[in-house]
Amino acid sequence: MKILDKATAIKEINPNAEFTISNDSYSELEWLNGTTPISESDIDAKVIDMKANGTTEDKKKASGKQKLLDLGL
């Protein structure tokens, strides 16, 4: 099972974000190379959304599996 943490949420919100984070803590988050900061509340909301609905990768896999099932494969 994929760990649903702040780093994963940041990449879901902005796949091009460059940052470092320690201990999954917003206070230990450093934005790098001009990455526009994302608010802590937006990151936390994304973590909640991922727990309820999965990540973009999870959704793509489920969609692909369903398409194969629809084709009878």
Side-chain angles (χ1 to χ4, degrees), residues 20-41:
T20 61
I21 189 169
S22 297
N23 302 317
D24 202 37
S25 172
Y26 192 83
S27 64
E28 296 185 41
L29 172 62
E30 179 182 357
W31 300 102
L32 305 173
N33 299 321
T35 297
T36 301
I38 302 168
S39 72
E40 184 173 16
S41 62

Side-chain angles (χ1 to χ4, degrees), residues 3-14 17 19-29 31 38-48 50-51:
I3 296 173
L4 301 176
D5 57 7
K6 290 184 188 321
T8 304
I10 291 167
K11 285 298 195 178
E12 283 280 308
I13 296 168
N14 177 1
F19 60 93
T20 61
I21 189 169
S22 297
N23 302 317
D24 202 37
S25 172
Y26 192 83
S27 64
E28 296 185 41
L29 172 62
W31 300 102
I38 302 168
S39 72
E40 184 173 16
S41 62
D42 286 347
I43 294 169
D44 290 342
K46 189 60 168 178
V47 170
I48 292 167
M50 290 186 312
K51 286 179 180 177

